[in-house]
Amino acid sequence: MGLFGKRRTREERAAEIAGKVASGKGFYGRTTKAFLGGEDFAKVQQSIGAHNSAVTVRQLLAAGAPTVPAVVVSISDTGKLVNFDPVVDLVLQPSGRTDRIALQTLVSKLRIPRTGDQVLLIADPAHPGGYLYAGDGETA
C-alpha cells in the first residue's frame, strides 16, 4: 500500500483511463470527447467496447463457460482496428437454429473467419439472450 492509497499497475491504470475515455467522464474522457467531436468519439467508444468484449470472452472461457457452435454466414470489414486487429461485422447461424445473429467483434488478424467456417459463441452475461464471439476454438 502506498502513502496515498493502493498502488496500481500500469495495466490497471490504463484500463481505468480507457473506461473513462469510453464513458466520456473524467478529465481524459471529456478532453477526448471535446477534441474528437461526436462522430469520431462514437468510433472510439465502439473500439473500446470491442476490446472489452474480447477481454470478457477470455475470462469466460477460462472460467469454463459453455460455448455454442455457429457457422459464419457473412463477414465484412468495418475499417476499424484495435491493436492492429480488425473489427468486423459477422452474421452467424448457431447450429440447430434457423435464426441468424449479427455481431460486431474484434478478430485476430491471424485467424480471420471466412464464410462457411465454424466458430464458437458464448452467452453474453451483460446482455441476456445475446452472444459474444469466442473464436474458432483452435487458439487460446
Side-chain angles (χ1 to χ4, degrees):
M1 179 146 171
L3 185 60
F4 298 106
K6 182 181 179 232
R7 184 170 285 216
R8 293 175 289 190
T9 65
R10 283 185 175 169
E11 291 81 15
E12 290 171 336
R13 182 71 179 134
E16 179 186 342
I17 291 171
K20 287 182 179 177
V21 168
S23 66
K25 296 179 181 174
F27 174 75
Y28 294 108
R30 288 191 306 268
T31 305
T32 304
K33 193 174 187 177
F35 280 112
L36 291 180
E39 185 177 319
D40 290 333
F41 185 70
K43 291 178 183 177
V44 168
Q45 286 180 311
Q46 288 175 345
S47 296
I48 291 173
H51 178 267
N52 290 341
S53 71
V55 170
T56 302
V57 166
R58 284 194 300 265
Q59 291 171 345
L60 290 170
L61 288 173
T67 59
V68 176
V71 176
V72 178
V73 176
S74 70
I75 183 169
S76 59
D77 188 19
T78 62
K80 299 179 212 167
L81 298 174
V82 175
N83 290 336
F84 301 107
D85 285 331
V87 176
V88 297
D89 288 322
L90 286 173
V91 177
L92 305 165
Q93 183 168 0
S95 296
R97 293 174 48 184
T98 58
D99 61 328
R100 294 183 174 179
I101 298 169
L103 297 174
Q104 187 173 82
T105 187
L106 179 69
V107 296
S108 169
K109 66 183 168 195
L110 301 175
R111 305 290 294 190
I112 297 174
R114 308 240 187 285
T115 301
D117 286 354
Q118 184 159 345
V119 296
L120 299 174
L121 298 174
I122 195 163
D124 187 356
H127 301 98
Y131 290 96
L132 298 171
Y133 174 75
D136 58 7
E138 298 293 325
T139 59

